[in-house]
Amino acid sequence: MHIVSTFGNVDFAKNMMMNQSMKGVEVERKVFPDGEKYFRLLGDVSGKEVSVVGNTNNDSEILEFLFLLDAAKEDNPSKLTAVVPYFGYARQHTLYKKGEAISAKVLIKALSDYADNIVTVDIHDASSFKYSNKTCSDFSASGSIADYFRGRKIDLVMAPDDGAFLRAKEIAGTLGCKSGFMNKKRIDSTTVEYNMDHIDAADSNVLLVDDIISTGGTILRSMEIIRNSGAASVFVAATHGLFVNGVDSKISGLCNELVVTDTIKSAYSKINVSQKLSGFIAGD
Ligand code: R5P
């Protein structure tokens, strides 16, 4: 399997290449005087299985990702896979208001134009795959998150909402502890309150898990509720740490430990999914 990567995912791709069956393909990158970009694969991928790795949260990287997929496709590989560690724009996966663009659909369709199959990691909502005419699979980071917390005596795994409960349940299943999610209580047409009145977390070591930490609003609100429930300690884990406006330092200062995976590299990327993902793609 040959691996091509966008500039932003070079480290992730290098980790994938710890798998002996993966070989990197160098990319030549140039910027023309008018700002337009040029990409060229410096290896032959004709007749070979190729994975192009790229995230879709950064507009310039999206363009690079599509150009690299095009470059690979032009060389007639035997199989072309788009690997998306962090599939950005996934939260707009449906029409919420008339007139909106469905960003997840636009990106899935663009990737599907080139790739024979698409592999994501904990995509926000896998229903986005319905917009593709290719094989799509979502790799779960739950096993890696559970492995990281093995032996930490976690009593309860909490999700910030019912949508994330399956993830909390899976991780709790591996750790052999309880799981739960925050209750939503509508106060009036504009105010929603969250609580965990239905769960006894007193003196417990609680692990709070989510797919994405973006502005950190969801995690900070949930941490406060968990603390107020009398928990002894609060650990926070997410697959994708976007950490808008440096919210990571605020979160880490308020919990016992903050960790995320390496889908988006940060000081908190202590959970490695790149190597497990390469095994999944290589069919090990
Ligand atoms: C929401 O449905 C997601 O699972 C995350 O909880 C949310 O996107 C996190 O965003 P923020 O960090 O901005 O609250």
Side-chain angles (χ1 to χ4, degrees), residues 91 124 160-161 164 167 210-219 247:
R91 281 169 286 182
H124 179 67
D161 51 49
R167 176 173 300 108
D210 206 354
D211 58 341
I212 309 165
I213 301 177
S214 178
T215 64
T218 308
I219 285 294
V247 74

Side-chain angles (χ1 to χ4, degrees), residues 39-172:
F39 300 95
R40 177 175 167 239
L41 302 191
L42 297 176
D44 176 15
V45 296
S46 159
K48 295 171 180 145
E49 290 196 4
V50 188
S51 283
V52 181
V53 186
N55 285 348
T56 62
N57 55 321
N58 173 297
D59 298 353
S60 155
E61 186 169 352
I62 291 170
L63 201 61
E64 180 180 355
F65 196 6
L66 294 174
F67 284 8
L68 292 177
L69 281 163
D70 185 70
K73 182 101 175 168
E74 283 290 331
D75 212 15
N76 291 315
S78 61
K79 185 177 174 192
L80 181 54
T81 302
V83 180
V84 199
Y86 174 56
F87 194 105
Y89 283 106
R91 281 169 286 182
Q92 180 84 42
H93 57 87
T94 191
L95 207 61
Y96 297 102
K97 288 183 194 155
K98 182 175 153 44
E100 288 175 340
I102 305 175
S103 50
K105 177 180 72 178
V106 172
L107 291 174
I108 282 277
K109 286 178 91 144
L111 297 178
S112 304
D113 238 19
Y114 293 104
D116 301 307
N117 61 330
I118 298 172
V119 179
T120 58
V121 180
D122 284 348
I123 188 169
H124 179 67
D125 195 314
S127 69
S128 303
F129 293 159
K130 69 172 182 259
Y131 302 119
S132 175
N133 55 355
K134 302 291 174 61
T135 308
C136 297
S137 31
D138 190 47
F139 182 79
S140 168
S142 294
S144 307
I145 294 175
D147 281 350
Y148 185 85
F149 283 96
R150 239 183 253 276
R152 299 285 189 98
K153 297 197 169 67
I154 301 292
D155 304 301
L156 171 66
V157 183
M158 281 297 293
D161 51 49
D162 53 351
F165 180 52
L166 200 62
R167 176 173 300 108
K169 205 173 159 191
E170 246 176 60
I171 296 170

Side-chain angles (χ1 to χ4, degrees), residues 138-268:
D138 190 47
F139 182 79
S140 168
S142 294
S144 307
I145 294 175
D147 281 350
Y148 185 85
F149 283 96
R150 239 183 253 276
R152 299 285 189 98
K153 297 197 169 67
I154 301 292
D155 304 301
L156 171 66
V157 183
M158 281 297 293
D161 51 49
D162 53 351
F165 180 52
L166 200 62
R167 176 173 300 108
K169 205 173 159 191
E170 246 176 60
I171 296 170
T174 309
L175 296 178
C177 66
K178 293 184 295 179
S179 58
F181 60 91
M182 301 284 165
N183 260 342
K184 260 187 199 173
K185 191 174 164 197
R186 182 159 290 284
I187 306 298
D188 56 42
S189 61
T190 52
T191 324
V192 177
E193 267 185 17
Y194 291 81
N195 68 70
M196 50 186 285
D197 299 346
H198 56 306
I199 295 169
D200 178 13
D203 303 321
S204 301
N205 297 320
V206 182
L207 170 61
L208 174 62
V209 291
D210 206 354
D211 58 341
I212 309 165
I213 301 177
S214 178
T215 64
T218 308
I219 285 294
L220 287 167
R221 181 199 71 216
S222 306
M223 279 166 55
E224 194 185 351
I225 298 167
I226 294 169
R227 283 266 181 238
N228 290 342
S229 73
S233 55
V234 186
F235 297 88
V236 176
T239 307
H240 314 293
L242 289 167
F243 301 134
V244 175
N245 293 332
V247 74
D248 42 347
S249 44
K250 186 169 181 188
I251 298 169
S252 71
L254 292 168
C255 67
N256 294 72
E257 188 176 358
L258 165 66
V259 283
V260 290
T261 77
D262 54 351
T263 58
I264 300 171
K265 201 177 166 193
S266 75
Y268 301 92

